[in-house]
Amino acid sequence: MSDEGSAPSAEVDQFEANRRYLGAVAYRLLGSLTDAEDVLQEAWLRWRAVERRQIADPRAYLSTVVTRLCYDQLGSARARREAYFGEWLPEPLVAEEDSPAHRAELGESVSLAMLAVMEQLSPAERAAFVLHDVFAVRFEEIAASLDRTPEAVRQLASRARRRVRDGGRHGGVDPAEHRQVVHAFAAATTSGDLEGLLAVLDPEVVWHSDGGGVVRAGARPVHGADKVARLVLGLMRRAFTPGSTASFAFALVNGEPGMVFHETPGRIGGVLAFTVRAGRITEAYIVVNPEKLTHLA
């Protein structure tokens, strides 16, 4: 926190002990690392101002503060995202497989696809679903954060669960199969193999891209294997011109096998995440808005 230097060490220690957890909650509620960091800053200021002798459980108290701050933000965030140029996708989390960052995230990982479909939920549904289904918070605790009854929160979570399931983007694919499909996609893409690419794409695949109006990207999703395959190969031809130093690297994107596109060594130009079903890609997500990639530099 920016003003920790003047705070008693006990205050800082208690907040920092819960910081990663609070940040994980805020990111999954908001889908934005930038907004999540703003929430943590505000939560820190409130933590400094409260009389801590009255707080029996610091984590529970801070979780309630973060949940309420995120809940308040979700309404205004939805309005901003409706005015966003093209399709709004969450900021991706990227880690090397089996890295400490990856192991730390595994317990509460939420795929980019899941975060995208959660944009359709109401703020209350999203909070109930994320807190209960991802972080195993009891309905009674969530109810206190949302000023609702436990039964009302239970119904919110159940409704959200159905909507996420109906969105067709829930997980369950074996990581090894997911990885194999991503590697096949990369091999076909980098070699310009149209037939190989079609073989790894579901006939009804959907390609989602987010450039935010800052860089060139489709304003709407692209549907169908043939259209997606030709789009991808066209993008590859533009990115890998003679003399280009562009490259792809495999990585975990929000806990699942994905890819990172480097425009030049050390400069990330995009992150790709995939939903896989029955050995084929059913949804692909590419985030190229540079404002959503700055945390990866």
Side-chain angles (χ1 to χ4, degrees):
M1 300 289 106
S2 60
D3 55 349
E4 283 174 359
S6 59
S9 60
E11 290 181 15
V12 178
D13 291 345
Q14 286 181 315
F15 190 90
E16 287 301 318
N18 293 289
R19 194 180 200 286
R20 196 196 70 80
Y21 171 79
L22 298 172
V25 170
Y27 168 70
R28 284 151 183 79
L29 285 174
L30 298 172
S32 166
L33 289 163
T34 304
D35 291 346
E37 186 58 36
D38 290 342
V39 163
L40 289 191
Q41 180 68 29
E42 179 62 27
W44 162 248
L45 295 176
R46 296 191 183 193
W47 173 247
R48 286 199 61 189
V50 76
E51 177 54 65
R52 273 170 299 286
R53 284 178 296 183
Q54 301 175 4
I55 298 173
D57 186 341
R59 171 172 282 206
Y61 171 81
L62 287 166
S63 296
T64 297
V65 170
V66 165
T67 298
R68 288 176 175 170
L69 289 170
C70 290
Y71 183 77
D72 291 342
Q73 273 210 24
L74 280 169
S76 59
R78 172 170 289 187
R80 291 197 309 272
R81 292 167 190 179
E82 287 175 352
Y84 190 81
F85 179 85
E87 190 171 7
W88 188 94
L89 295 178
E91 294 177 29
L93 291 175
V94 176
E96 295 180 8
E97 194 165 7
D98 293 328
S99 68
H102 170 224
R103 290 192 292 272
E105 295 291 345
L106 273 179
E108 63 266 354
S109 61
V110 176
S111 70
L112 207 68
M114 180 76 79
L115 287 173
V117 80
M118 283 198 294
E119 287 298 307
Q120 302 172 20
L121 304 179
S122 72
E125 288 172 339
R126 184 165 184 160
F129 175 77
V130 168
L131 291 171
H132 182 265
D133 285 38
V134 180
F135 292 97
V137 178
R138 295 184 302 114
F139 286 125
E140 290 78 10
E141 294 180 46
I142 303 171
S145 298
L146 300 182
D147 292 325
R148 304 197 183 209
T149 66
E151 182 55 34
V153 172
R154 188 186 302 274
Q155 292 176 6
L156 286 169
S158 176
R159 189 159 62 240
R161 209 173 293 123
R162 287 196 302 273
R163 295 184 67 181
V164 169
R165 183 178 62 244
D166 292 343
R169 302 176 192 176
H170 48 290
V173 175
D174 177 68
E177 177 188 351
H178 194 132
R179 187 179 302 106
Q180 183 178 13
V181 171
V182 172
H183 280 245
F185 171 87
T189 299
T190 53
S191 64
D193 180 3
L194 177 60
E195 293 304 315
L197 193 52
L198 288 170
V200 80
L201 296 175
D202 185 88
E204 298 181 1
V205 63
V206 183
W207 177 271
H208 307 266
S209 57
D210 178 350
V214 181
V215 298
R216 184 176 178 181
R220 297 186 205 50
V222 177
H223 297 259
D226 187 68
K227 288 182 179 179
V228 169
R230 295 181 187 281
L231 169 66
V232 170
L233 293 182
L235 293 173
M236 291 295 295
R237 284 193 294 270
R238 286 198 293 272
F240 290 85
T241 55
S244 167
T245 57
S247 64
F248 278 113
F250 296 110
L252 289 177
V253 180
N254 288 63
E256 296 183 335
M259 298 166 63
V260 176
F261 170 64
H262 294 265
E263 293 179 328
T264 58
R267 180 182 175 85
I268 294 176
V271 173
L272 291 87
F274 306 91
T275 299
V276 173
R277 285 276 176 279
R280 291 192 170 191
I281 294 170
T282 58
E283 309 261 354
Y285 303 84
I286 177 167
V287 179
V288 291
N289 183 346
E291 295 174 359
K292 296 187 177 183
L293 303 175
T294 54
H295 64 285
L296 303 176

